[in-house]
Amino acid sequence: MPDYIDIHAHVNFAAFDADRDEVIRKTLEHKTWMINVGTQKDTSLAAVELAHKYEKGVYAIIGTHPIHTHSSFHDTEELGEGGKEFTSHGESFDYDFYLKLARDPKVVGIGECGLDYYRLTPETEKKQKETFEQHIVLAQEIEKPLMLHIRNGSSNGEAGRAYKDALQMLKAHQGLRGNVHFFAGTWEEAKEFVDLGFTLSFTGVITFASNYDEVIKNIPLTMIMSETDCPYVTPKPYRGKRNEPLYVREVVKRIAAIKNLSDEEVREVIRNTAMKSFGLES
Ligand SMILES: [Zn+2]
C-alpha cells in the first residue's frame, strides 16, 4: 500500500526524457504511486508503455486533451524540441484506437478530456465539445472514470463558462464517474460536481496561492484527491525546479493544513479515495 498517489502526472512527457526511469524508481521507493495522463495518441501510448515497465504503482489514463483537438502551440516540456519527439497536430478523436487501448488493465481512466476556453474560436469550441462527448461515451462503454480538464476563458463574459458547459454535458448522461483535475472553479461549481459524484483534485498551486482555500475547506475530504500535474506547477518549497510525482506530498500536507486536520489522517483518506476511484490494488 502506498502512502501517496499522484493521480495526474506527465512523466510520459518529453521533460522527463533524460531521467524518466530514475524519477519513477525514486518515487516508488518513497511509497508514492502515480498515474501518467495522455494528451493525444502518442503521449497516451507512451503512458501505457511506461506503466507496463513496473509491476505496480505506475498506471495510465488515455485520451485527447481539448487543446489538442486543433493544432495548438507546441509545448516543448510536453512534446520535445522541434517535434523530434511528439508533435501537436490537432487530432480527431480515434474512438477505436482509444477503445482498444482502454481495455489494457494498466489503463485506469479516460482523459484528460473536457473543455479549454483559454484560447478559443467558435470553430474550436464545437470541436472540443464533440471530442469531449466521445470521451464520455467511451468512459461509459469501458466503465472507467473520466479525468477532466476544464479551463475557463480569460475575457469578460467568459467567467465560469467552461465549467457550466461541462456540467451541462455531464448531466445529460447517467452513471458517470470521474475527477476534475486542477480544479480552478468556484465553490458553487465545486458543489455541483460533488453532487454529481465527481471528486476534485488539486496541484502544487495550493502551496503558493490561496484562491482555492475556500473550496478545499468546504468540500468533504472524501471527495478530494492529490496530484502534481508535473512537469508543471512545482509546489513550495521546490519552486523553480522541475515538478515530479514525489512532490505530491506537499499538496497533501497543504490540504491538511487548510482543513486543520492531521497530516496522517488526510494522507490516508486521500490515498484510499484514489485506490478506490481508479480500482488500484495494493
Ligand atoms: Zn495534465
Side-chain angles (χ1 to χ4, degrees):
M1 184 85 89
D3 283 343
Y4 299 95
I5 305 179
D6 178 0
I7 66 141
H8 190 117
H10 296 293
V11 182
N12 49 330
F13 280 8
F16 293 96
D17 280 355
D19 58 353
R20 182 170 290 116
D21 289 312
E22 200 184 316
V23 167
I24 295 177
R25 262 199 310 276
K26 184 181 65 177
T27 309
L28 294 174
E29 274 166 22
H30 287 84
K31 297 179 82 176
T32 303
W33 287 6
M34 73 188 76
I35 302 174
N36 290 308
V37 181
T39 50
Q40 53 182 28
K41 274 181 169 179
D42 48 20
T43 55
S44 293
L45 208 50
V48 177
E49 283 168 2
L50 198 53
H52 278 284
K53 287 189 171 177
Y54 301 87
E55 193 200 332
K56 61 178 161 185
V58 183
Y59 306 91
I61 287 180
I62 55 156
T64 308
H65 190 293
I67 69 162
H68 289 315
T69 58
H70 46 93
S71 40
S72 57
F73 74 103
H74 187 97
D75 174 5
T76 55
E77 296 281 294
E78 176 182 5
L79 304 168
E81 297 289 342
K84 76 171 162 44
E85 286 291 323
F86 306 127
T87 47
S88 173
H89 35 239
E91 277 187 6
S92 288
F93 190 71
D94 184 342
Y95 194 93
D96 293 334
F97 169 87
Y98 284 112
L99 175 63
K100 201 169 160 236
L101 201 57
R103 291 199 174 106
D104 189 297
K106 293 280 189 180
V107 172
V108 298
I110 304 300
E112 58 189 294
C113 61
L115 303 172
D116 191 319
Y117 290 178
Y118 197 66
R119 299 178 184 86
L120 195 68
T121 66
E123 187 190 299
T124 56
E125 180 175 336
K126 185 167 173 280
K127 185 90 184 282
Q128 284 193 21
K129 284 180 174 162
E130 288 165 3
T131 307
F132 182 26
E133 185 67 30
Q134 288 181 294
H135 284 84
I136 293 172
V137 173
L138 175 59
Q140 281 186 311
E141 176 169 1
I142 204 83
E143 295 179 335
K144 291 186 180 181
L146 288 162
M147 176 64 77
L148 302 179
H149 168 104
I150 306 165
R151 190 177 188 192
N152 286 323
S154 52
S155 60
N156 280 341
E158 287 289 302
R161 196 163 70 85
Y163 281 94
K164 283 186 190 73
D165 286 358
L167 278 162
Q168 193 182 34
M169 288 177 68
L170 294 168
K171 282 176 185 169
H173 297 267
Q174 296 287 315
L176 288 176
R177 302 185 291 130
N179 174 67
V180 189
H181 131 79
F182 209 136
F183 184 77
T186 62
W187 161 235
E188 287 71 29
E189 287 151 0
K191 198 173 171 308
E192 283 199 67
F193 282 106
V194 169
D195 288 347
L196 272 182
F198 279 67
T199 52
L200 309 181
S201 59
F202 298 90
T203 65
V205 167
I206 65 169
T207 66
F208 57 85
S210 55
N211 314 36
Y212 308 109
D213 289 10
E214 190 202 355
V215 174
I216 293 169
K217 253 180 221 149
N218 285 334
I219 68 169
L221 180 58
T222 52
M223 299 306 280
I224 297 179
M225 290 200 277
S226 57
E227 60 158 306
T228 62
D229 201 22
C230 65
Y232 313 107
V233 291
T234 311
K236 265 184 175 173
Y238 305 105
R239 300 290 297 151
K241 291 178 68 177
R242 180 189 63 183
N243 198 5
E244 55 177 89
L246 195 54
Y247 302 159
V248 75
R249 63 191 58 214
E250 303 302 326
V251 177
V252 174
K253 276 192 227 163
R254 181 69 194 138
I255 293 168
I258 293 169
K259 283 195 151 307
N260 204 13
L261 296 168
S262 76
D263 286 356
E264 184 77 2
E265 178 185 357
V266 170
R267 179 176 68 69
E268 280 180 18
V269 172
I270 289 181
R271 187 261 329 271
N272 292 346
T273 303
M275 300 284 285
K276 189 164 155 248
S277 299
F278 299 108
L280 310 182
E281 281 164 23
S282 59

